[in-house]
RNA sequence: CGGGGCGUAGCGCAGCCAGGUAGCGCAUCUGCUUUGGGAGCAGAGGGUCGCCGGUUCAAAUCCGGCCGCCCCGACCA
């Protein structure tokens, strides 16, 4: 992408409404713009990040045997009357009427919708287990939206729903999601810690929240150091196998958010206890037959009886993650994207646009990187060097490739790693092979 | 929903208390000079002062109402 033709409205100054670092950086980096309280537009750079996050989530869900669907944002109130939640949900639910005065709502979640789909289609235990997920915008009319996209009213969420014939099957489904979540967050360069959680309005008796560690996180977390040492990506996971030992390994250690943490009864010695701050980015629930029973979602069992299916639901805050990743990875100069979610892999800086040698060398590098399938943002604008450096640091592209007149005289370009600031002078070919390899 | 704050040019702000026809920095445009970490000089353009009403010869400024946004708290992916 040539920056001279891109839409990247970066800001030198921080808008007054933004307080926390991810919100400030997302506005400054031209990723988002606020529409109204807790509702945002995603600009090209932000949308790229959102799509990268979405892709990792989708790949891990598919690998765990889930099937993607897409349910509507607008749901009929009658569906929620079946489960009893239409009256329970309260003012957080955005209620609307269509032209026929029918009660509708903008979905805050989709348990009822998926249960309706499933009950109409599946009648036999032979068709279980199944797990269906979608990635869709939700709306919860928060009393007090804040922290930019981290706590918006409108947000993009991946929610998956599992269907099993009994508790044992549901626990296996739960375990698959548990492991898939660990892998998903690890792939985004995040340290995620699963914690026992309350089930809240969704109900049920087995639940974990996944909290990622970030210095500026909203709540304090305490955990055993072993939880940070595990490398879930190193292990080869077979989702058809028994995942109980893996889950066991992650749940036997102490982990608590500050509302649950009690220094007096904490089993981890104070000098070993990891104290950090965290942001909740995922939540998984097993809630048995809470919806299947009232909504009549049942299958015929092997003995010919009819039994309501056991369900679970599994959420990941996709748009929240965009902010959370920035909270976990930034410095005074701007964002530091992990490679896996970066909007571009390489930021190519032509320090002196208009200089024939620089234009030729940079243009050539740009073409070769594109041809090799590398996503490059090429700053070909007629701007000063300092402003190009500052801008590239701000938007946080992992690699900066700098082409300037000084280096070209020696036959070199510079390759800088955004995360560490490490910078090496390399020949053009060496730089290319480093980035393409 | 309780408490607090703010709304003046694209962004950041001053002006309001002591009413007199709107200003600064950045950004934008033009020209010249500069050119390896957000350049300098000169010039130019851009504002229903959130909205409605009231007071007054005169309102960004005073009064009343409304709307929006932010922060703290209680609540949440």
């Amino acid at each position: 992408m040539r920056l001279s033709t891109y839409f990247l409205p970066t800001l030198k100054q921080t808008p007054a409404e933004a307080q926390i670092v991810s919100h400030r950086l997302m506005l400054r980096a031209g990723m988002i713009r606020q529409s109204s309280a807790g509702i945002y537009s995603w600009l090209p750079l932000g949308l790229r990040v959102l799509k990268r996050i979405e892709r990792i989530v989708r790949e891990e869900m598919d690998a765990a045997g889930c099937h993607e669907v897409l349910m509507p944002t607008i749901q009929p109130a009658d569906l929620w009357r079946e489960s009893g939640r239409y009256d329970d949900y309260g003012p957080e639910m955005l209620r609307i009427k269509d032209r026929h005065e029918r009660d509708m709502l903008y979905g805050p979640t989709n348990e009822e919708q998926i249960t309706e789909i499933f009950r109409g289609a599946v009648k036999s235990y032979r068709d279980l287990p199944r797990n269906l997920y979608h990635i869709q915008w939700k709306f919860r009319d928060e009393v007090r939206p804040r922290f930019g996209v981290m706590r918006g009213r409108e947000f993009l969420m991946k929610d998956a729903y599992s269907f099993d014939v009994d508790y044992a099957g549901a626990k296996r489904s739960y375990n698959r999601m548990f492991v898939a979540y660990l892998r998903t967050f690890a792939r985004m360069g995040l340290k995620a810690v699963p914690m026992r959680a309350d089930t809240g309005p969704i109900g049920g008796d087995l639940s974990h929240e996944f909290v990622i560690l970030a210095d500026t996180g909203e709540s304090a977390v305490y955990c055993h150091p072993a939880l940070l040492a595990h490398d879930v990506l190193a292990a080869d996971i077979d989702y058809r196998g028994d995942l109980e030992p893996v889950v066991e390994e992650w749940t036997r250690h102490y982990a608590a958010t500050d509302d649950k943490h009690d220094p007096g009864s904490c089993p981890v010695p104070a000098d070993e206890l990891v104290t950090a701050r965290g942001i909740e980015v995922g939540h998984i629930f097993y809630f048995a037959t809470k919806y299947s029973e009232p909504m009549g979602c049942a299958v015929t069992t092997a003995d010919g009886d009819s039994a309501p299916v056991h369900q679970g639901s599994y959420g990941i805050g996709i748009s929240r993650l965009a902010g959370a990743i920035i909270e976990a990875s930034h410095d005074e100069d701007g964002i530091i994207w992990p490679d896996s979610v970066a909007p571009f892999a390489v930021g190519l800086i032509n320090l002196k646009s208009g200089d024939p040698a620089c234009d030729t060398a940079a243009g050539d590098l740009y073409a070769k990187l594109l041809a090799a399938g590398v996503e490059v943002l090429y700053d070909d604008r007629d701007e000063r060097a300092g402003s190009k450096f500052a801008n590239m640091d701000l938007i946080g592209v992992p690699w900066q490739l700098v082409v300037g007149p000084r280096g070209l005289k020696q036959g070199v370009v510079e390759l800088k790693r955004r995360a560490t600031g490490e910078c090496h002078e390399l020949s053009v070919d060496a730089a290319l092979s480093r980035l393409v390899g």
Side-chain angles (χ1 to χ4, degrees):
Chain A
M1 186 66 60
R2 285 178 182 269
L3 195 41
S4 61
T5 61
Y6 200 39
F7 185 73
L8 185 66
T10 56
L11 266 26
K12 207 191 282 193
Q13 282 166 311
T14 302
E17 76 260 19
Q19 298 299 316
I20 64 159
V21 64
S22 62
H23 190 194
R24 283 196 269 210
L25 289 174
M26 289 180 83
L27 288 167
R28 288 193 53 210
M31 292 177 65
I32 55 169
R33 284 295 181 267
Q34 179 164 321
S35 168
S36 60
I39 303 179
Y40 295 85
S41 293
W42 292 74
L43 307 188
L45 194 80
L47 186 58
R48 276 181 169 257
V49 172
L50 206 57
K51 294 283 180 195
R52 298 294 299 251
I53 294 170
E54 211 181 294
R55 191 169 87 187
I56 292 174
V57 170
R58 182 174 283 118
E59 285 172 2
E60 291 299 324
M61 293 305 291
D62 290 348
C66 308
H67 305 291
E68 188 171 6
V69 298
L70 185 59
M71 292 178 272
T73 53
I74 307 288
Q75 304 178 30
D78 283 348
L79 205 46
W80 287 63
R81 292 195 174 103
E82 284 191 49
S83 70
R85 275 164 118 197
Y86 190 70
D87 294 327
D88 293 350
Y89 217 91
E92 274 209 349
M93 181 150 74
L94 181 63
R95 295 152 204 264
I96 50 188
K97 279 186 198 294
D98 68 10
R99 67 195 300 163
H100 304 293
E101 291 291 302
R102 275 192 284 256
D103 292 325
M104 311 289 282
L105 58 98
Y106 196 115
T109 178
N110 290 66
E111 279 83 8
E112 285 80 358
Q113 185 80 72
I114 197 76
T115 302
E116 189 202 33
I117 292 169
F118 206 80
R119 74 179 171 193
V122 170
K123 299 293 173 195
S124 164
Y125 76 97
R126 294 174 194 268
D127 293 323
L128 300 180
R130 286 293 185 274
N131 187 317
L132 303 175
Y133 74 99
H134 76 336
I135 296 174
Q136 177 66 290
W137 293 91
K138 308 285 192 290
F139 194 92
R140 292 183 193 170
D141 201 356
E142 296 273 348
V143 234
R144 191 186 155 206
R146 61 187 123 170
F147 306 143
V149 299
M150 299 250 290
R151 179 123 175 239
R153 292 192 292 172
E154 187 182 56
F155 55 98
L156 187 60
M157 180 174 163
K158 184 284 301 178
D159 40 326
Y161 302 91
S162 65
F163 302 86
D164 285 273
V165 73
D166 55 17
Y167 173 79
K171 182 67 166 65
R172 282 192 293 274
S173 293
Y174 187 89
N175 288 349
R176 278 195 287 276
M177 289 298 97
F178 190 103
V179 173
Y181 273 38
L182 291 172
R183 290 183 49 86
T184 300
F185 299 127
R187 280 186 60 189
M188 294 175 193
L190 301 168
K191 281 280 177 203
V193 181
M195 307 203 174
R196 281 199 87 79
D198 292 330
T199 51
I202 293 181
D205 55 8
L206 178 58
S207 176
H208 285 88
E209 26 182 80
F210 288 75
V211 175
I212 60 149
L213 302 187
D215 290 341
T216 53
E218 44 191 327
S219 57
V221 297
Y222 305 87
C223 72
H224 191 281
L227 287 170
L228 302 183
H230 291 322
D231 181 3
V232 69
L233 295 179
D236 212 8
I237 300 291
D238 177 6
Y239 282 106
R240 290 163 306 177
D242 182 11
L243 297 175
E244 190 64 32
V246 183
V247 173
E248 176 69 16
E249 182 57 28
W250 282 85
T251 50
R252 69 189 175 93
H253 296 295
Y254 182 79
T257 50
D258 56 355
D259 47 321
K260 298 251 177 64
H261 179 64
D262 173 15
S265 64
C266 175
V268 185
D271 59 331
E272 279 179 45
L273 185 69
V274 175
T275 304
R277 300 199 67 81
I279 301 167
E280 184 185 348
V281 290
H283 205 152
I284 62 178
F285 303 88
Y286 161 67
F287 47 75
T289 58
K290 177 176 161 128
Y291 300 95
S292 57
E293 216 150 354
M295 294 185 66
C297 180
V299 293
T300 306
T301 64
D303 352 301
D305 294 335
S306 176
V309 299
H310 286 245
Q311 296 177 278
S313 76
Y314 315 90
I316 289 180
I318 306 264
S319 49
R320 170 178 281 194
L321 270 166
I325 291 167
I326 294 173
E327 293 293 330
S329 184
H330 68 272
D331 63 17
E332 319 77 68
D333 296 325
I335 303 168
I336 302 173
W337 290 116
D339 296 277
S340 58
V341 296
F344 292 94
V346 178
L348 174 61
I349 297 179
N350 181 348
L351 282 186
K352 198 168 180 182
S353 296
D355 175 86
C358 288
D359 288 353
T360 304
D364 190 49
L365 273 166
Y366 179 57
K368 284 180 171 153
L369 285 166
L370 281 187
V374 178
E375 294 197 284
V376 194
L377 182 62
Y378 173 25
D379 192 344
D380 58 339
R381 296 171 308 158
D382 183 18
E383 289 289 330
R384 302 177 64 82
S387 128
K388 292 190 175 187
F389 285 130
N391 208 250
M392 207 57 92
D393 285 346
L394 173 63
I395 65 174
V397 174
W399 293 102
Q400 292 177 13
L401 185 54
V402 181
V403 177
R406 214 168 64 195
L408 283 184
K409 282 190 188 122
Q410 326 298 323
V412 296
V413 295
E414 287 150 55
L415 186 60
K416 179 180 143 186
R417 184 69 174 161
R418 175 67 180 86
T420 61
E422 262 182 286
C423 188
H424 296 290
E425 294 198 330
L426 299 167
S427 72
V428 169
D429 287 343
L432 266 177
S433 63
R434 281 278 285 278
L435 292 173
V436 171

